[in-house]
Amino acid sequence: GDSVTQMEGPVTLSEEAFLTINCTYTATGYPSLFWYVQYPGEGLQLLLKATKADDKGSNKGFEATYRKETTSFHLEKGSVQVSDSAVYFCALSDNTGANSKLTFGKGITLSVRP
Amino acid sequence: DAGVIQSPRHEVTEMGQEVTLRCKPISGHDYLFWYRQTMMRGLELLIYFNNNVPIDDSGMPEDRFSAKMPNASFSTLKIQPSEPRDSAVYFCASNQLAAEQFFGPGTRLTVL
């Protein structure tokens, strides 16, 4: 079945550092890919998405490119802020059926120090 | 819009008791999802509904868990009897067909 693998965490960075969070997936067909963010005490929010190969999703300074050849969707940000401290989830949707289910990775906690 | 509303936000109960979690989806959304989040297993889809009808309950862990959606604006997830291993954060989410899922703030359940 479909699966999403995220790098092990947690990750601690200093403010203005460069961020990369790795995500790889296994799926049949042509999934859509997502990054969700969960701030403390809140539910998940969609951060960005990409629906086909070579698409780049971007939002709030974060970017991720859908790489079909490496089955990856790594999240990057050039300069993190304390306010980016949260849990980040990579997810895929298999695009089959009337409303595709989301398959999530385990999530990774990012802490940004001032 | 108030977003997806869940209640209670926190629930502490003793093993063997019945627990009912509640969700109000965003108005106009015709899909509703229940997820469970634990450290060990991450975020798991338990069940989802379309137009109040359960479509896929393959993620429901066992017969102790049941979910209902009596109308478009309300759903419940019930655990009876509860066990300590049910301790988790339970999320409800809703969307329109193939659009972004919006998550509620979650219910943190602790079963002693």
Side-chain angles (χ1 to χ4, degrees):
Chain A
D2 297 344
S3 66
V4 175
T5 302
Q6 293 185 232
M7 59 185 278
E8 294 286 328
V11 173
T12 302
L13 296 174
S14 297
E15 202 165 26
E16 300 184 1
F18 183 83
L19 169 71
T20 299
I21 301 177
N22 290 343
C23 170
T24 57
Y25 68 90
T26 302
T28 54
Y30 303 94
S32 294
L33 302 174
F34 307 83
W35 278 100
Y36 278 80
V37 60
Q38 183 181 23
Y39 298 105
E42 299 183 10
L44 281 70
Q45 305 172 24
L46 180 64
L47 180 60
L48 54 82
K49 68 178 182 182
T51 58
K52 61 182 187 297
D54 300 324
D55 267 2
K56 177 186 284 188
S58 61
N59 186 23
K60 300 181 181 180
F62 291 89
E63 293 183 339
T65 301
Y66 189 142
R67 301 286 188 200
K68 193 171 190 303
E69 64 276 13
T70 54
T71 62
S72 65
F73 193 55
H74 304 322
L75 183 68
E76 297 182 335
K77 186 174 186 182
S79 176
V80 294
Q81 306 300 311
V82 172
S83 57
D84 294 326
S85 298
V87 182
Y88 292 82
F89 293 89
C90 185
L92 70 79
S93 172
D94 66 9
N95 291 332
T96 60
N99 194 21
S100 303
K101 299 182 291 187
L102 289 174
T103 300
F104 286 90
K106 288 205 166 183
I108 186 169
T109 299
L110 170 65
S111 298
V112 180
R113 298 183 300 236
Chain B
D1 198 317
V4 176
I5 299 172
Q6 292 187 247
S7 64
R9 292 294 308 275
H10 302 272
E11 176 80 34
V12 180
T13 191
E14 294 192 346
M15 183 174 64
Q17 296 298 306
E18 177 179 296
V19 175
T20 300
L21 311 181
R22 297 172 176 80
C23 175
K24 175 178 168 54
I26 293 173
S27 177
H29 284 187
D30 46 13
Y31 286 84
L32 183 141
F33 303 79
W34 281 102
Y35 292 89
R36 177 173 67 176
Q37 183 182 30
T38 61
M39 291 293 292
M40 290 298 297
R41 300 174 68 89
L43 200 61
E44 306 170 277
L45 176 65
L46 301 178
I47 184 172
Y48 79 93
F49 295 82
N50 174 219
N51 291 327
N52 315 336
V53 176
I55 302 301
D56 184 350
D57 66 354
S58 59
M60 295 287 263
E62 48 198 274
D63 291 346
R64 297 184 297 107
F65 286 69
S66 62
K68 295 182 180 179
M69 193 165 184
N71 57 62
S73 59
F74 184 65
S75 177
T76 59
L77 178 68
K78 185 176 294 187
I79 308 172
Q80 166 64 16
S82 58
E83 297 183 2
R85 60 193 169 114
D86 301 331
S87 297
V89 181
Y90 291 82
F91 289 102
C92 177
S94 70
N95 74 346
Q96 295 175 312
L97 177 61
E100 173 189 351
Q101 288 187 25
F102 290 83
F103 283 73
T107 295
R108 182 173 295 277
L109 173 64
T110 302
V111 183
L112 303 175

